Amino acid sequence: MPTRILPAGADPDAVRSLTTLLSQLPDAEPQPPAGDSTGLVDTLARLAAESVADLPEVVVVHERIGPVPALELIREIALRFPAVGVVLVTTDASPGLFAAAMDAGARGLVALPLSYEELAGRVQAVAQWSTGVRRHLGHGADVSAGAGGTVVTVSGAKGGTGATLTAVQLALAAQASGRATVLVDLDLQTGDVASYLDIQFRRSVVDLAAITDISPRVLADAVFRHDTGLALLLAPGEGERGEEVTDRAARQIVSALRARYETVVVDCGSQLSGAGAVAVEMADTALLVTTPDVIAVRAAKRTVRMWDRLQIRKAEETTVVVNRQARNTEIQPALIGRITGTALARTTVPANFRELQGVVDAGRVHELDGRSTVKQALWALAAELGLAKPGETTHRGSGRGAAGLRRRKE
């Protein structure tokens, strides 16, 4: 059986040279190369979604890949696709880098300039390892478990568009549908998830920032369990500590959560931080919430263009959600989609703040009445995104009759 090998690197000449050598290996079947980290992870995710058996046995990562550094990329692949063996190609073959690559999850390292014998030996060894792992797991569901849960980010085009309310209700809808769900507040300086859900807490996402190996136990210690059953990883109470959550830390945290939960909903706020950019890049679905007014739509267009310039996410891979929509609104959703160049959620959220005011002022949006048109729309959006079952009743666990939800300290 041929060995499927997926090369990845940002330098076209280096990738071409690598692909030429790989094609000369016995029983090798090089795949079309990936030009950056995003393309590589997207390709693996697409193949895993179609059939785990379609995943390549070996991925060869050139050290000059971006925008995600090679070692961080290897760590993500090892977490999400554990039966895929990764080989790092690098000019630095020092013991220090070798140890770092192995810690990240690589199965081998090949030094530049490339040697046919060294590359062949390493790729064949890794391919045998990958085949053995798949045989041991029986080609069943366990192999694909590494792909992990669904990550949905919710960002606001500007402050006040309703991103946090949207994130909270999407997470509640997913949890009510029986999916193990975590809501993450990555609006690191001004996050309000804790205020919306009437909780006091000690631990936050900052407690995971300095940890290089986030085990399930460490993760469980940092997560707050709400009385609704929803797991929460909250923004720090002291906004200045948000700077401790680096891009690398955010990538590790999101990867660890994806491996532990079926659904990961991330509130990224309206200000782009490094951590938020990482979450948007890693997301299966990136939502951008706007209201149907000129200022917010312009802000949405600005955000989409910025994400594209920074190679965080392409416009067509972003989904705009229109909040506070009314029939007499001059700017209708179809126009917003054309202006921003994005996909458009079929579900719009009606303008009816009177339904929300009581629970928002009380900080208990989890008690929003199931008859609320706003809640019904947001839960319908969750079903549209595949986070909840279509037709799931919105009154489950809602209403002020769901008593006994008290403040508590974690």
Side-chain angles (χ1 to χ4, degrees), residues 143-172:
V143 181
S144 63
T150 300
V151 176
V152 176
T153 56
V154 184
S155 305
K158 58 183 287 295
T161 56
T164 297
L165 177 67
T166 300
V168 170
Q169 290 297 332
L170 290 179
L172 289 171

Side-chain angles (χ1 to χ4, degrees), residues 58-279:
V58 182
V59 170
V60 181
V61 176
H62 193 279
E63 63 178 356
R64 290 201 300 273
I65 193 168
V68 177
L71 292 183
E72 293 183 28
L73 175 62
I74 291 170
R75 181 175 284 106
E76 182 175 354
I77 293 172
L79 282 170
R80 295 183 60 183
F81 313 99
V84 174
V86 184
V87 175
L88 175 63
V89 175
T90 175
T91 54
D92 179 8
S94 66
L97 180 64
F98 181 85
M102 296 305 105
D103 288 343
R107 302 302 307 178
L109 186 147
V110 176
L112 288 168
L114 290 172
S115 159
Y116 174 85
E117 290 76 14
E118 184 182 7
L119 182 64
R122 182 49 50 200
V123 167
Q124 288 171 358
V126 173
Q128 290 174 1
W129 170 86
S130 177
T131 302
V133 169
R134 298 180 193 207
R135 186 182 302 115
H136 174 72
L137 295 176
H139 299 281
D142 290 340
V143 181
S144 63
T150 300
V151 176
V152 176
T153 56
V154 184
S155 305
K158 58 183 287 295
T161 56
T164 297
L165 177 67
T166 300
V168 170
Q169 290 297 332
L170 290 179
L172 289 171
Q175 179 69 26
S177 285
R179 297 167 65 102
T181 304
V182 61
L183 173 60
V184 187
D185 195 345
L186 275 188
D187 188 358
L188 296 172
Q189 292 186 340
T190 58
D192 280 325
V193 168
S195 298
Y196 271 45
L197 293 174
D198 190 35
I199 57 176
Q200 298 177 16
F201 63 97
R202 284 191 301 112
R203 296 184 179 89
S204 73
V205 65
V206 170
D207 293 293
L208 298 176
I211 299 175
T212 56
D213 185 14
I214 303 176
S215 67
R217 181 169 182 174
V218 168
L219 191 62
D221 286 342
V223 168
F224 182 98
R225 182 68 62 176
H226 193 260
D227 288 344
T228 57
L230 188 62
L232 304 171
L233 184 58
L234 300 163
E238 305 81 17
E240 66 275 12
R241 295 199 64 195
E243 296 181 358
E244 298 175 33
V245 185
T246 63
D247 301 10
R248 178 178 181 179
R251 188 171 299 278
Q252 292 180 347
I253 291 167
V254 173
S255 294
L257 291 169
R258 190 200 292 268
R260 170 67 178 80
Y261 294 92
E262 292 179 76
T263 304
V264 182
V265 180
V266 186
D267 179 6
C268 295
S270 58
Q271 298 291 327
L272 183 67
S273 65
V278 165

Side-chain angles (χ1 to χ4, degrees), residues 5-26:
I5 309 170
L6 176 56
D11 185 337
D13 293 334
V15 171
R16 191 179 302 112
S17 174
L18 176 60
T19 303
T20 300
L21 271 182
L22 290 174
S23 64
Q24 297 173 13
L25 302 183

